[in-house]
Amino acid sequence: MASLKSRLEHCVSPNALRSYLAEFISTFIFIFAAVGSSMSSRKMMADATLDPSGLVAIAIASAFALSVAVFISANVSGGHVNPAVTFGMAVGGHITIPMTICYWISQMLGSVMACLLLKVTTVGQHVPSHAIPQEMTGFGASVLEGVMTFTLVYTVYAASDPRRGSLGAIGPLAIGFIAGANALASGAFTGGSMNPAYSFGSAVVGGSFKNQAVYWVGPLIGAAVAGVLYDHVVFPTHQAPPSLREIADGVGGV
């Protein structure tokens, strides 16, 4: 009971609150660029969904925005910018469950606010939400999203591993690059989300929750597998787990 009370107290410490704010801001920045690039493509092209250049533009915007979002929050909150990444870190024991929930709330609020701002400022232009083609099954889409999120979270683990030394700005760039590459690989099938907050925010403002489970089940499972595989199989750690104070202060920088 004392341990639970201590964990809950650390969830509202000044450093923890700064982490939540950092996650909100970073997620807002990423979603604003990712969703905004999709809206711009649809505005400028007669049929952006069938034009390969639209997919390339969205993937590049997502890669750049995610790299920046991770970089600016890495030393404060760990630069998750994604509920799946937070879940993967929780499975690996790098962040507590109460803080995981608070991170999720911050990330989803940042996503909803970014999509809402885009809808208001573009005078009601439709905010596109993620969807899968009719010929594709929900199971197949979940597997695809899970595999992509696995590669993303595995890259996050590698980029933030202190045993590899300080990677500086290379870490966030690597994370952005894998996200952009995955978006190119699956944009025509699932939209290349890899981020439950991304899909949730666009669904809330866009008004369509169809196949929403695909963008939660697949990514969360993929993130959990990545966390377990990296920390316990491929690169097992032999150092003591972080203290409760260290967890409250953040999950470490990239």
Side-chain angles (χ1 to χ4, degrees):
M1 180 63 70
S3 177
L4 177 60
K5 181 180 178 181
S6 179
R7 287 171 182 266
L8 292 176
E9 288 176 349
H10 284 308
C11 284
V12 293
S13 67
N15 286 331
L17 295 177
R18 282 194 288 269
S19 295
Y20 308 149
L21 179 59
E23 284 297 307
F24 173 86
I25 293 173
S26 291
T27 306
F28 179 94
I29 291 173
F30 168 63
I31 300 299
F32 184 85
V35 177
S37 63
S38 179
M39 294 173 67
S40 295
S41 296
R42 291 169 182 258
K43 180 71 173 178
M44 297 172 63
M45 303 174 190
D47 196 347
T49 58
L50 298 178
D51 194 324
S53 62
L55 175 59
V56 172
I58 294 169
I60 291 176
S62 297
F64 286 173
L66 183 59
S67 297
V68 172
V70 171
F71 180 78
I72 63 177
S73 60
N75 293 330
V76 182
S77 65
H80 296 185
V81 202
N82 185 336
V85 172
T86 303
F87 185 70
M89 289 293 176
V91 169
H94 298 277
I95 184 172
T96 63
I97 297 301
M99 286 193 72
T100 296
I101 295 173
C102 293
Y103 267 49
W104 280 13
I105 294 172
S106 300
Q107 291 157 351
M108 287 188 287
L109 282 176
S111 178
V112 171
M113 291 302 297
C115 293
L116 188 60
L117 179 63
L118 284 167
K119 186 174 182 66
V120 171
T121 55
T122 56
V123 197
Q125 184 177 340
H126 176 66
V127 175
S129 56
H130 290 124
I132 63 177
Q134 291 184 350
E135 65 273 13
M136 194 170 189
T137 65
F139 176 77
S142 295
V143 171
L144 188 57
E145 282 289 321
V147 170
M148 291 190 299
T149 308
F150 168 85
T151 63
L152 174 64
V153 176
Y154 195 89
T155 302
V156 170
Y157 260 90
S160 59
D161 191 343
R163 293 170 294 178
R164 301 172 64 94
S166 178
L167 297 180
I170 299 299
L173 283 175
I175 295 170
F177 285 167
I178 190 62
N182 284 339
L184 286 172
S186 68
F189 305 109
T190 66
S193 173
M194 300 165 280
N195 188 330
Y198 184 178
S199 300
F200 177 78
S202 59
V204 168
V205 179
S208 175
F209 283 91
K210 187 177 182 181
N211 301 126
Q212 185 69 195
V214 166
Y215 303 101
W216 284 87
V217 176
L220 292 183
I221 293 176
V225 173
V228 171
L229 190 63
Y230 187 92
D231 259 357
H232 300 286
V233 180
V234 181
F235 296 109
T237 177
H238 301 291
Q239 60 189 21
S243 67
L244 200 58
R245 170 61 64 183
E246 291 172 333
I247 293 175
D249 289 346
V251 295
V254 173

